[in-house]
């Protein structure tokens, strides 16, 4: 990569809280590319805007969604107008129209990171108008991208077929390989007994992530605690559910943890959960970052039996798989938690898997195709 580029990344989210964007930024800057990130935050209480190589602008969604999107487009348009780049990297469908416009206007390359099957997001399945707008937006602009990046091989195949394109690349959503610097003592911090098991969920707290089913199972899981890292629209409902089941003292919501510190929290748990439910096409094809973050942190995982996730667990033997469409979730969790699995062997398999399943290895497969 001798030819250094200027790259502009647009993302409707806080770049500092997004592993994929921060990893991309760090990988490109380490290769001496000049990188500018335009990102946004509307969920962090008391958030103050940040500027520099990574900009994070404040948005407010509490009053009006229309004003929220208008401010987002106005800021993004103005910043793109004032800057220039050799490569415009749209990190989601929301930034795609403006990134595509400026890339075409300036006759520069456009890369589209199709990190989700956006028209089929679980959270939009009851919002037909929003689904239609996103579908039409993506269909209109995806053909203008010089490369479309998917987070898994099945996603790439679906996108090629659905939009009749051939220029897809696979860049799975993985963390950087780094050691645990200072493991957080969750047991001490949350008053969890030393002999208890800690189940961990990290990520956005939405429906269809197995969170409700895990909370409902908890009364039957002796000496088991549930720790959640992240925030989202269902957090209050899940807190209320834990209270109704009289297990609020065993369900801990710790909020969003900065990416730089996340592995220190993750490594303190016993088992990580990726119990995605098959409630949308986007979820069916899921290959979430949290799977690889658990592996990197050295903890085994319990995954749903959806194809791309099951493939990782089966191939690397780093955990267990549960069919989320059965009515035996509680019994299956109980069986796994109480099973006598060899921790030393599991630790070795996790270590071996992490050497292959990390961002640097994954990015190395595509960087010369995109940024040479």
């Amino acid at each position: 990569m001798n030819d250094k580029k200027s790259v502009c990344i647009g993302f409707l989210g806080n770049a500092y809280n997004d592993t994929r964007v921060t990893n991309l930024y760090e990988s490109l800057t380490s290769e001496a590319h000049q990188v500018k990130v335009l990102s946004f935050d509307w969920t962090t209480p008391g958030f103050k805007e940040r500027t520099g190589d990574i900009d994070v602008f404040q948005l407010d969604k509490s009053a009006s969604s229309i004003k929220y999107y208008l401010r987002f487009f106005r800021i993004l348009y103005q910043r793109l107008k004032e800057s220039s780049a050799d490569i415009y990297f749209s990190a989601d469908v929301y930034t795609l129209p403006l990134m595509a416009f400026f890339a075409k206007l300036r006759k520069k390359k456009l890369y589209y990171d199709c990190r989700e099957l956006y028209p089929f997001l679980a959270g939009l399945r009851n919002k037909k108008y929003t689904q239609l707008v996103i579908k039409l937006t993506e269909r209109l602009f995806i053909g203008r991208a010089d490369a479309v990046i998917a987070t898994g091989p099945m996603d790439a195949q679906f996108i090629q077929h659905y939009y009749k394109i051939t220029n897809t690349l696979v860049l799975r959503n993985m963390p950087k390989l780094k050691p645990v610097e200072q493991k957080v003592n969750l047991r001490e911090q949350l008053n969890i007994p030393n002999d208890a098991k800690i189940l961990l969920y990290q990520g956005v707290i939405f429906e269809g992530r197995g969170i409700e089913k895990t909370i409902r199972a908890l009364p039957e899981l002796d000496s088991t605690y549930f720790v959640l890292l992240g925030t989202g629209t269902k957090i209050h409902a899940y807190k209320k559910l834990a209270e109704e089941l009289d297990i609020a003292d065993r369900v801990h919501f710790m909020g969003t943890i900065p990416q730089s510190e996340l592995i220190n929290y993750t490594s303190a748990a016993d088992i990580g959960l990726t119990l995605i439910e098959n409630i949308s096409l986007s979820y069916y094809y899921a290959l979430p970052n949290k799977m690889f973050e658990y592996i990197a942190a050295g903890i085994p995982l319990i995954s749903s039996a959806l194809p791309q996730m099951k493939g990782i667990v089966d191939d690397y033997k780093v955990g267990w798989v549960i069919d989320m469409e059965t009515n035996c979730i509680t019994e299956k969790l109980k069986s796994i938690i109480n099973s006598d699995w060899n921790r030393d062997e599991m630790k070795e398999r996790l270590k071996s898997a992490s050497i292959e399943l990390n961002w640097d290895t994954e990015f190395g497969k595509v960087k010369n195709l995109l940024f040479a």
Side-chain angles (χ1 to χ4, degrees):
M1 294 181 21
N2 296 321
D3 185 13
K4 305 309 177 186
K5 307 289 185 182
S6 58
V7 183
C8 181
I9 302 171
F11 174 58
L12 183 54
N14 188 328
Y16 288 100
N17 296 334
D18 187 84
T19 303
R20 193 168 175 87
V21 171
T22 54
N23 284 348
L24 179 63
Y25 169 80
E26 289 174 3
S27 293
L28 292 178
T29 54
S30 71
E31 299 276 355
H33 294 295
Q34 182 182 348
V35 185
K36 179 69 176 180
V37 180
L38 305 173
S39 67
F40 301 82
D41 190 297
W42 61 97
T43 61
T44 304
F47 174 76
K48 294 183 179 179
E49 293 190 346
R50 303 177 66 170
T51 57
D53 289 340
I54 300 178
D55 289 344
V56 189
F57 301 102
Q58 185 179 31
L59 297 177
D60 182 6
K61 205 174 185 178
S62 60
S64 167
S65 291
I66 294 176
K67 289 182 179 179
Y68 161 86
Y69 282 110
L70 285 176
R71 175 170 166 78
F72 158 63
F73 281 115
R74 185 171 65 251
I75 293 173
L76 184 60
Y77 175 85
Q78 189 62 38
R79 295 294 169 167
L80 290 172
K81 181 181 177 182
E82 294 171 353
S83 62
S84 61
D86 298 312
I87 296 171
Y88 290 86
F89 194 101
S90 174
D92 52 38
V93 71
Y94 311 104
T95 60
L96 180 59
L98 283 177
M99 301 292 281
F101 171 78
F102 279 96
K104 183 175 179 60
L105 179 68
R106 291 168 177 162
K107 298 180 180 179
K108 302 297 184 179
K109 286 187 176 181
L110 170 70
Y111 298 148
Y112 172 41
D113 191 12
C114 192
R115 59 165 68 192
E116 302 273 4
L117 298 181
Y118 286 103
F120 307 98
L121 289 172
L124 298 180
R125 69 188 191 282
N126 297 319
K127 300 178 180 179
K128 300 302 181 183
Y129 176 73
T130 304
Q131 271 188 326
L132 179 61
V133 170
I134 289 178
K135 184 183 298 185
L136 292 175
T137 299
E138 193 167 58
R139 186 174 295 278
L140 180 61
F141 291 101
I142 198 170
R144 303 186 186 186
D146 293 275
V148 176
I149 303 166
T151 57
M154 290 184 67
D155 302 64
Q157 291 172 9
F158 177 84
I159 293 165
Q160 287 185 131
H161 175 75
Y162 190 71
Y163 289 115
K164 296 179 173 55
I165 60 175
T166 59
N167 59 334
T168 59
L169 294 172
V170 175
L171 178 60
R172 291 177 295 179
N173 208 11
M174 297 179 178
K176 283 182 171 290
L177 181 61
K178 63 179 183 179
V180 178
E181 296 174 350
Q182 189 173 358
K183 185 186 295 187
V184 173
N185 191 334
L186 289 178
R187 286 177 167 80
E188 181 179 291
Q189 191 172 130
L190 302 175
N191 197 28
I192 296 174
N194 289 332
D195 60 348
K197 297 288 194 307
I198 298 177
L199 302 180
L200 179 80
Y201 170 88
Q202 61 188 50
V204 183
I205 300 177
F206 284 162
E207 64 175 327
R209 305 293 181 100
I211 298 172
E212 179 177 343
K213 292 186 177 183
T214 302
I215 292 174
R216 291 191 180 279
L218 212 58
E220 304 297 320
L221 305 178
D222 295 334
S223 299
T224 303
Y225 288 69
F226 189 22
V227 174
L228 299 95
L229 308 180
T231 188
T233 56
K234 297 292 287 186
I235 190 168
H236 297 297
Y238 293 150
K239 284 182 178 179
K240 183 178 180 181
L241 176 61
E243 291 169 358
E244 291 172 353
L245 295 173
D246 198 27
I247 54 168
D249 61 326
R250 291 203 282 141
V251 181
H252 298 278
F253 296 85
M254 299 190 70
T256 300
I257 306 299
Q259 288 296 321
S260 59
E261 302 174 23
L262 186 59
I263 193 171
N264 295 323
Y265 285 80
T266 307
S267 60
D270 294 296
I271 298 174
L273 302 182
T274 56
L275 298 176
I276 307 252
E277 300 167 46
N278 186 17
I279 63 172
S280 73
L281 195 62
S282 179
Y283 277 9
Y284 177 77
Y285 286 120
L287 189 58
N289 182 53
K290 64 178 66 64
M291 287 190 71
F292 306 109
E293 289 178 330
Y294 297 150
I295 292 169
I299 65 170
L301 57 102
I302 303 176
S303 165
S304 50
L306 299 177
Q308 295 199 109
M309 292 190 292
K310 183 177 185 298
I312 294 294
V313 176
D314 289 349
D315 289 348
Y316 295 91
K317 296 180 173 51
V318 289
W320 306 267
V321 172
I322 290 180
D323 183 353
M324 296 297 288
E325 297 189 26
T326 71
N327 295 318
C328 308
I329 305 302
T330 299
E331 291 304 314
K332 289 183 179 296
L333 284 173
K334 185 186 296 185
S335 175
I336 292 169
I337 291 168
N338 294 329
S339 64
D340 187 22
W341 45 281
N342 189 310
R343 282 161 174 75
D344 290 335
E345 287 185 5
M346 179 65 77
K347 185 176 181 180
E348 287 302 312
R349 290 198 294 270
L350 287 161
K351 183 178 179 180
S352 177
S354 70
I355 293 172
E356 181 179 344
L357 301 175
N358 64 79
W359 174 265
D360 291 328
T361 299
E362 191 74 1
F363 184 69
K365 299 173 184 178
V366 302
K367 66 179 183 179
N368 287 331
L369 297 175
L370 295 173
F371 302 102

